[in-house]
Amino acid sequence: MGHLLRNPSLLRPLLRPWSQGAASQAVALASPKGLAAAAAAAEDAEPMPFEALPGPRRWPLLGSLPAMLAHPAFDFERLPRLWSSYFKEFGPTFRLRLPGQGDLVYLSQPKDIERLMRATQENPVRPYLTSLEKVRQQTDFFKKNQTGILTEHGEEWWRVRRLVQTYSMKPKMVVQYLPQMDLVAKEFVVRIAGKRDDMNELPENFVDELFKWSLESVCLVTLNRRMGCLEGQPEGLKIIEASSKMFEAFASCEYGVHWWKFIPTPSFRDLKEAHDVMLGLAIDAVKRTQEALATRTDAEGDLNLVESLIMTPGLSFEDVVTHVLDFFLTATDTTSMTFIFTLYNLAQHPEAQAKLQEELDEVLGRDHTAPITPERLARLSYIKACVRESLRMFAIAGFVARKLQNDLVLDGYQVPNGTIIFGSQFESGKNAEAFPNPDQFKPERWLRGSKGDEGLTVKNQYASIPFSIGSRKCIGSRISQQEVFVLLSRLFQRYNVSYKYKPWDPVFKTILFPDQPPKFTVTER
């Protein structure tokens, strides 16, 4: 089946007439414009039945899979392209049914995403990373129903979440990590500048270098220990390799057919193998911290993140290890991709880059040895807006997902309890009503007050929530964003960046990645 997912042309000649016929029939019954008009008119009327939700044809047992494979837009590495086509064909909301997953509903309208998030805020069940949950259920280290906040829900999720979020979500706590982040960022800028070729272009393996920067920064923040990632030390590279392997496996497990629920597929085995490697490293890291903590005195300064977790009543050794493991897993790739897509946008928009550098000159000056203090970071509003705008245009994670615990009306349809809902950040981030001129890179739309352009004002904040929202918001989002702000500041304080090659067509491996070597040209200011 994995072969068919990556080579759908084998099935298209057989399936295309059926899938296109179903699509044509659905469009004839309800075109995108017709659906939108009907939904608006029926906002307060009796909701339409769930079975009326449009979508590609469904077969017994195989569900929508044959139609997906036969679709001209299908590309397993670019699934957002297929979903975008479905939104055009079926309207702002469509329905799929996939083997092992049941009914899936995809939303694109900000108002429906807002309704979903508000309706589920008291008990946000995220139907995602179920393959990771199964891996942990099969691993002796984890206690029953205690697999970590990435995979648990309800009381167990909240037991851990409420205890750990203080150290990574409160702004006053996060800014304490600034000196470590700044140290690694300055070292990285010097290192990467030294790797330029005679055309002042960054190396083709720049993404790999970013992974080293992100992991070194995270480890210094969490463990107060240098991993030697920038110098290529084995321990750090082992984490990077295992993390990348896990993201590859996640994509196949979560977005492919869920055969792994019944048999150990190659992707599931890869996921388990990489997870075991990272688990061993996390256990070792926490044990080392415990030993170091036992020899510390109060005079030696504040506790680092992991030391704080170890000292928190109610958290077990397994809880701390799992949180460190999840930090390693989610921080490296997502932070690196947030940085690289922001860099890509700034390299293509010299006017925005110049405005960013003007702000840096005003706040930090040209002395790259001067520290970035919390007060200075707070004044870097434009650089934060650039990151926010880049996350709108390139939705790194792609979706916010929830499993309904009660019936809910979405886009005029009665959606039953238990249905899995995906709010597409790819589509809602391009919504012209929420974001006037959505194809334009305009960081100004995220600036408050008089600094913003009123013609670009964001109409609905739920149209772009890259880190989710509410109690299930990404627990590492503040740390990740702060890392990105600091590195962008240090890079553009000293250099100009441009990009002269073909536009990117990102691939989707659980998160977005560039589809070609990011060969940026970096020159001294």
Side-chain angles (χ1 to χ4, degrees), residues 33-328:
K33 290 184 179 179
L35 279 173
E43 188 73 28
D44 299 319
E46 187 72 18
M48 293 177 281
F50 184 62
E51 288 300 320
L53 246 175
R57 181 177 176 178
R58 299 181 293 274
W59 276 261
L61 299 179
L62 293 177
S64 308
L65 182 62
M68 292 172 61
L69 293 173
H71 198 285
F74 181 87
D75 179 346
F76 188 71
E77 287 196 334
R78 293 180 174 84
L79 283 176
R81 186 181 297 173
L82 175 64
W83 297 320
S84 181
S85 295
Y86 279 156
F87 282 123
K88 291 183 175 68
E89 292 175 30
F90 302 116
T93 306
F94 68 86
R95 171 188 173 198
L96 297 177
R97 181 178 295 159
L98 293 177
Q101 299 181 68
D103 287 311
L104 311 174
V105 172
Y106 289 77
L107 308 175
S108 65
Q109 296 187 110
K111 67 180 182 64
D112 290 315
I113 295 175
E114 179 178 3
R115 178 172 294 179
L116 171 68
M117 302 305 285
R118 291 187 182 280
T120 58
Q121 62 185 352
E122 292 186 4
N123 184 22
V125 176
R126 184 175 58 187
Y128 191 55
L129 300 181
T130 51
S131 55
L132 176 62
E133 182 180 16
K134 184 171 182 178
V135 164
R136 292 182 175 178
Q137 288 171 346
Q138 296 179 350
T139 303
D140 291 339
F141 175 83
F142 297 92
K143 298 177 182 178
K144 186 177 181 180
N145 300 323
Q146 293 187 6
T147 58
I149 60 174
L150 283 183
T151 52
E152 292 294 346
H153 306 94
E155 292 183 5
E156 170 58 23
W157 163 75
W158 182 240
R159 177 187 71 83
V160 179
R161 171 81 187 209
R162 68 182 178 84
L163 295 173
V164 302
Q165 64 184 4
T166 297
Y167 307 109
S168 54
M169 293 296 290
K170 288 189 175 181
K172 289 184 179 180
M173 293 294 295
V174 175
V175 295
Q176 292 181 11
Y177 312 138
L178 257 180
Q180 295 99 320
M181 292 181 180
D182 196 16
L183 174 65
V184 177
K186 288 190 289 188
E187 288 182 11
F188 179 77
V189 168
V190 171
R191 172 184 170 82
I192 203 65
K195 286 183 171 290
R196 290 176 293 175
D197 61 18
D198 55 4
M199 300 285 291
N200 283 323
E201 289 184 349
L202 296 182
E204 291 191 0
N205 69 340
F206 181 53
V207 169
D208 295 333
E209 294 294 324
L210 278 176
F211 290 163
K212 296 175 184 178
W213 152 74
S214 181
L215 182 59
E216 186 74 9
S217 185
V218 165
C219 288
L220 190 56
V221 165
T222 57
L223 305 174
N224 198 27
R225 181 161 64 91
R226 297 301 296 261
M227 299 289 284
C229 298
L230 299 182
E231 295 78 28
Q233 293 298 317
E235 187 176 14
L237 295 182
K238 196 173 182 180
I239 297 177
I240 294 171
E241 181 181 353
S243 177
S244 297
K245 187 175 181 179
M246 285 187 71
F247 270 97
E248 290 272 1
F250 276 144
S252 295
C253 288
E254 297 295 326
Y255 292 103
V257 179
H258 287 197
W259 298 124
W260 53 266
K261 290 183 177 179
F262 313 104
I263 59 174
T265 62
S267 294
F268 184 79
R269 291 196 298 269
D270 287 345
L271 179 61
K272 190 174 189 316
E273 180 182 332
H275 180 269
D276 288 346
V277 171
M278 294 190 70
L279 175 60
L281 291 167
I283 291 173
D284 180 63
V286 175
K287 284 182 175 179
R288 287 194 198 183
T289 305
Q290 283 182 321
E291 293 168 358
L293 184 61
T295 63
R296 285 192 58 172
T297 64
D298 291 340
E300 291 182 273
D302 296 328
L303 299 177
N304 64 42
L305 191 148
V306 176
E307 288 172 337
S308 298
L309 294 175
I310 291 171
M311 297 295 292
T312 299
L315 290 179
S316 66
F317 174 78
E318 290 82 5
D319 291 332
V320 176
V321 168
T322 304
H323 192 59
V324 171
L325 173 59
D326 290 343
F327 233 87
F328 286 164

Side-chain angles (χ1 to χ4, degrees), residues 260-434:
W260 53 266
K261 290 183 177 179
F262 313 104
I263 59 174
T265 62
S267 294
F268 184 79
R269 291 196 298 269
D270 287 345
L271 179 61
K272 190 174 189 316
E273 180 182 332
H275 180 269
D276 288 346
V277 171
M278 294 190 70
L279 175 60
L281 291 167
I283 291 173
D284 180 63
V286 175
K287 284 182 175 179
R288 287 194 198 183
T289 305
Q290 283 182 321
E291 293 168 358
L293 184 61
T295 63
R296 285 192 58 172
T297 64
D298 291 340
E300 291 182 273
D302 296 328
L303 299 177
N304 64 42
L305 191 148
V306 176
E307 288 172 337
S308 298
L309 294 175
I310 291 171
M311 297 295 292
T312 299
L315 290 179
S316 66
F317 174 78
E318 290 82 5
D319 291 332
V320 176
V321 168
T322 304
H323 192 59
V324 171
L325 173 59
D326 290 343
F327 233 87
F328 286 164
L329 172 62
T330 58
T332 306
D333 295 61
T334 51
T335 303
S336 298
M337 291 305 101
T338 298
F339 174 85
I340 205 166
F341 281 103
T342 305
L343 187 63
Y344 175 70
N345 274 326
L346 287 166
Q348 292 192 309
H349 296 85
E351 72 290 346
Q353 186 174 153
K355 190 169 182 178
L356 181 149
Q357 289 173 325
E358 181 181 345
E359 178 181 77
L360 289 173
D361 289 347
E362 178 183 343
V363 175
L364 301 181
R366 300 295 288 271
D367 180 7
H368 58 269
T369 64
I372 299 179
T373 63
E375 294 74 23
R376 288 171 173 170
L377 181 66
R379 293 173 59 194
L380 297 176
S381 57
Y382 193 73
I383 205 165
K384 296 171 186 175
C386 289
V387 173
R388 194 67 184 79
E389 179 72 343
S390 294
L391 288 172
R392 177 191 71 82
M393 299 185 72
F394 294 97
I396 304 297
F399 294 96
V400 289
R402 294 290 184 267
K403 184 176 182 179
L404 294 185
Q405 303 302 295
N406 298 286
D407 294 353
L408 182 64
V409 176
L410 291 168
D411 195 19
Y413 295 92
Q414 184 72 45
V415 183
N417 169 31
T419 305
I420 294 175
I421 314 290
F422 289 95
S424 174
Q425 297 291 284
F426 297 112
E427 298 300 316
S428 62
K430 301 172 186 174
N431 184 284
E433 291 184 8

